[in-house]
Amino acid sequence: MRNISLLSFLIGLTIVARAQEVVIDTNYYAPPPVVRRPVLIADPDQNLNHRQLKGNRQADNRRDLLNQFNEVQTWYISAETGFRSDGSILSNSLDRLVSNPTLTKAVWSGLFGYTYRNSWAVEVGYTRAPIHLNITIANSNDPLVFNYTNSGYGIPLRIKRRIGSGSRSANGTGFWVTGGAWLIPNGNGQTGDFRLIGYTYHSRNRTDTLRLNNSTTIFKRVTGVAELGIDYTTRLSPTIELGFYARKYWGLGNALRSDLVYTVNNSAKQQATITADGTGWGFGLALRYIYGRQQEMKKP
């Protein structure tokens, strides 16, 4: 009986505790649900960054500004390099014993230039391009070769005329016809004399003695070279130009002379002369830096 009463007391206590529990509905205070909308942006790998866009915009502005002006005058420094061939004139081969092959050697120049309205140009400077005289003596399979040169430098003056319209002053691209002359102080160079002796055996009882003497002279007087050529120039940037040239040269006076005397058994004397004046061809390229310019507004 006592146990039944205790059980009834505990059940009643539980019902009272449940009756006192307060349930609070928190749905009233919950924030509204967040609606996420899909957003697409451009692929960054396909877009230029800010710095590139700014650089392109500045380049476009500079190009537009240059298009509003004509180049009236420019001043530039030019460096040229290439190859030049120059031959000599042989008066007598001495029974095909002597020859004078044309030589092709590397040359270079440093020049100052001036252009007017992208139509005319003048250049002057210093060039390193020796005049060569070559003597080759036939000697079985091993010929003897003697090379002589003058002092090796010249002072060129060149005038250039653009072919076609000169209106494309923004990039300077175009062909030019060039003509000019070099002043060549021959001075001291590579020179010298030689004496050769040989023998020809016809039979046991007959032997011929061959002698060849040479004397080479460099003229002390000033000579010159005239030139005519064509250039192609393209402007790589507002201050840099790249050019290619082909030129023909004509000597205006002998720079070197060789006199040869050939004898057989101290008789049957023959003579030959070789002269070199710088006549030949030249090919190469030029790199120019424009360090000054004068411009004017284009006419509407």
Side-chain angles (χ1 to χ4, degrees):
M1 187 67 180
R2 183 178 300 176
N3 293 335
I4 294 174
S5 300
L6 179 60
L7 179 61
S8 300
F9 175 76
L10 293 175
I11 292 174
L13 183 60
T14 302
I15 293 174
V16 173
R18 285 182 174 272
Q20 293 179 352
E21 182 178 359
V22 178
V23 179
I24 301 176
D25 186 6
T26 60
N27 292 331
Y28 178 78
Y29 299 97
V34 178
V35 179
R36 297 185 178 273
R37 297 179 180 177
V39 178
L40 297 178
I41 62 174
D43 187 352
D45 294 334
Q46 306 260 336
N47 295 330
L48 298 175
N49 58 38
H50 177 71
R51 186 173 299 177
Q52 289 176 318
L53 291 174
K54 184 178 179 181
N56 292 341
R57 192 180 304 111
Q58 291 178 348
D60 293 339
N61 293 338
R62 181 180 180 87
R63 192 179 301 110
D64 293 340
L65 183 62
L66 289 175
N67 290 334
Q68 300 177 20
F69 291 89
N70 279 327
E71 285 184 352
V72 179
Q73 303 176 89
T74 63
W75 295 265
Y76 61 85
I77 301 174
S78 175
E80 293 185 352
T81 184
F83 294 92
R84 178 171 175 265
S85 65
D86 65 314
S88 52
I89 300 174
L90 174 63
S91 64
N92 184 2
S93 66
L94 303 178
D95 298 327
R96 293 183 294 181
L97 178 65
V98 179
S99 61
N100 58 327
T102 298
L103 297 180
T104 300
K105 299 291 184 179
V107 296
W108 60 269
S109 303
L111 304 164
F112 292 95
Y114 165 80
T115 62
Y116 178 72
R117 293 192 178 278
N118 200 29
S119 298
W120 291 93
V122 179
E123 294 179 344
V124 64
Y126 172 91
T127 185
R128 183 68 181 176
I131 296 176
H132 300 87
L133 188 152
N134 174 274
I135 303 176
T136 300
I137 310 298
N139 182 32
S140 184
N141 294 327
D142 188 17
L144 303 177
V145 178
F146 301 89
N147 289 319
Y148 304 101
T149 64
N150 67 344
S151 59
Y153 69 92
I155 303 172
L157 174 63
R158 184 174 298 124
I159 299 176
K160 306 167 67 175
R161 170 62 178 170
R162 184 186 175 109
I163 303 175
S165 174
S167 61
R168 296 180 60 189
S169 60
N171 56 22
T173 300
F175 286 92
W176 300 73
V177 174
T178 69
W182 301 6
L183 186 66
I184 302 179
N186 292 296
N188 296 322
Q190 178 184 349
T191 184
D193 302 335
F194 64 79
R195 294 183 178 183
L196 304 177
I197 186 171
Y199 302 94
T200 300
Y201 301 95
H202 296 279
S203 65
R204 292 183 178 180
N205 299 324
R206 182 182 174 186
T207 301
D208 292 336
T209 302
L210 312 177
R211 287 184 172 85
L212 180 64
N213 298 335
N214 171 72
S215 177
T216 300
T217 303
I218 298 179
F219 293 100
K220 301 299 182 181
R221 65 176 182 268
V222 176
T223 58
V225 170
E227 68 168 54
L228 183 65
I230 186 168
D231 291 12
Y232 176 78
T233 301
T234 179
R235 186 164 295 181
L236 303 180
S237 72
T239 58
I240 301 296
E241 289 184 348
L242 179 65
F244 304 89
Y245 69 83
R247 296 171 187 150
K248 171 64 177 176
Y249 304 103
W250 294 272
L252 301 179
N254 291 329
L256 298 98
R257 176 189 173 105
S258 289
D259 295 305
L260 298 102
V261 178
Y262 176 59
T263 60
V264 179
N265 297 326
N266 292 323
S267 62
K269 182 177 180 180
Q270 298 185 58
Q271 295 182 346
T273 301
I274 304 177
T275 57
D277 58 8
T279 298
W281 288 88
F283 305 89
L285 57 88
L287 189 65
R288 304 183 184 96
Y289 171 71
I290 301 174
Y291 64 88
R293 57 163 50 90
Q294 179 182 349
Q295 297 173 315
E296 67 178 5
M297 183 70 71
K298 291 182 178 179
K299 296 180 180 180

